[in-house]
Amino acid sequence: MKMFKEIMSWVIPIVVGLLVALLIRRFVFTMVRVDGPSMEANLENDERVAVVKTVAIKHLSVIVFNAYRVDPDATSKNVKYVKRVIGMPGDTVSSRDGQLYVNGKRVNQSFISQFERTQGTGDWNLQGLSNKNEWSIQTTKVPKHSYFVLGDHRSVSNDSRYWGFVPAKKVLGVVKVPFWDTSATKRHNVNAIGY
């Protein structure tokens, strides 16, 4: 009996600790690895970032979402993309001469370089993109419960310009660069510029 009590004195704290960790991971935050160059220079390939599930999504928030059945090329159920929210539900979104416009107002894109803003961005609006790419939703505005997302490195990003909108139910959370990352600029450009 004494041995049983001693064993349980370390088993119970370990089990409780594991349960708490699982609950935090499921409902509060988790860590993910960035795969690919589409969010450079703010997020690098193979960088690990936190995904916080309790933070509200805003314009310019960086999010992680499950891309399965969002991007037709994402054939695995576990493919996750990291992108920046440009359009919220009900917004109009367009691009002209390397400038983004949301609801007719120019978006401050100081979080990326002039090269990243202009190379590969193109001139478009939602109706033109939906017609050109034959989206199932033909629209001039971001639909309810959906987001229009772009990668920061526009010339290499596979994003909403090609496959359309991200349903809110597919979003896993908002990306936060951890405090131990040495780049204050990167932390600001990912963590602090949503509006």
Side-chain angles (χ1 to χ4, degrees), residues 86 93-96 100 120-126 128-129 148 150 161:
I86 303 301
V93 182
S94 62
S95 173
R96 289 189 312 275
L100 286 177
T121 300
D123 292 348
W124 45 262
N125 60 33
L126 293 181
L129 290 177
F148 184 89
L150 296 175
R161 291 171 294 170

Side-chain angles (χ1 to χ4, degrees), residues 10 15 25 39 41 67 72 85 109 122 136 153 155 158 160 163 171 174-175 181 189 194:
W10 14 312
V15 170
R25 183 180 172 138
M39 287 299 294
V85 173
Q109 297 182 83
S136 58
H153 195 334
S155 65
N158 174 24
S160 285
W163 35 254
V171 176
V174 175
V175 171
D181 191 293
N189 288 348

Side-chain angles (χ1 to χ4, degrees), residues 12-176:
I12 289 174
I14 290 170
V15 170
V16 169
L18 288 172
L19 285 173
V20 168
L22 287 171
L23 288 171
I24 288 171
R25 183 180 172 138
R26 174 89 169 116
F27 297 107
V28 182
F29 83 94
T30 190
M31 298 296 286
V32 298
R33 183 180 59 83
V34 177
D35 183 22
S38 74
M39 287 299 294
E40 289 176 352
N42 291 307
L43 295 175
E44 303 291 334
N45 185 41
D46 284 333
E47 181 175 356
R48 293 191 61 80
V49 293
V51 178
V52 183
K53 301 177 181 192
T54 56
V55 173
I57 297 171
K58 303 174 183 175
H59 288 99
L60 303 183
S61 291
V62 177
I63 62 169
V64 172
F65 60 94
N66 186 324
Y68 181 65
R69 294 197 171 148
V70 176
D71 175 5
D73 293 334
T75 55
S76 167
K77 292 183 179 180
N78 293 319
V79 174
K80 295 173 184 71
Y81 287 3
V82 179
K83 303 291 178 191
R84 191 177 296 274
V85 173
I86 303 301
M88 301 282 284
D91 285 345
T92 61
V93 182
S94 62
S95 173
R96 289 189 312 275
D97 302 321
Q99 298 295 332
L100 286 177
Y101 296 87
V102 174
N103 301 322
K105 294 181 182 174
R106 189 171 65 81
V107 176
N108 178 354
Q109 297 182 83
S110 59
F111 53 88
I112 57 176
S113 71
Q114 176 73 14
F115 176 82
E116 289 154 345
R117 281 195 296 273
T118 56
Q119 296 302 305
T121 300
D123 292 348
W124 45 262
N125 60 33
L126 293 181
Q127 185 170 11
L129 290 177
S130 63
N131 291 337
K132 175 183 172 186
N133 296 301
E134 299 177 350
W135 296 346
S136 58
I137 300 171
Q138 300 288 311
T139 184
T140 59
K141 293 185 176 184
V142 179
K144 288 180 181 178
H145 312 296
S146 299
Y147 303 101
F148 184 89
V149 299
L150 296 175
D152 284 355
H153 195 334
R154 306 276 159 72
S155 65
V156 298
S157 180
N158 174 24
D159 52 38
S160 285
R161 291 171 294 170
Y162 307 105
W163 35 254
F165 307 102
V166 177
K169 65 184 178 185
K170 292 283 206 166
V171 176
L172 303 177
V174 175
V175 171
K176 297 294 180 185

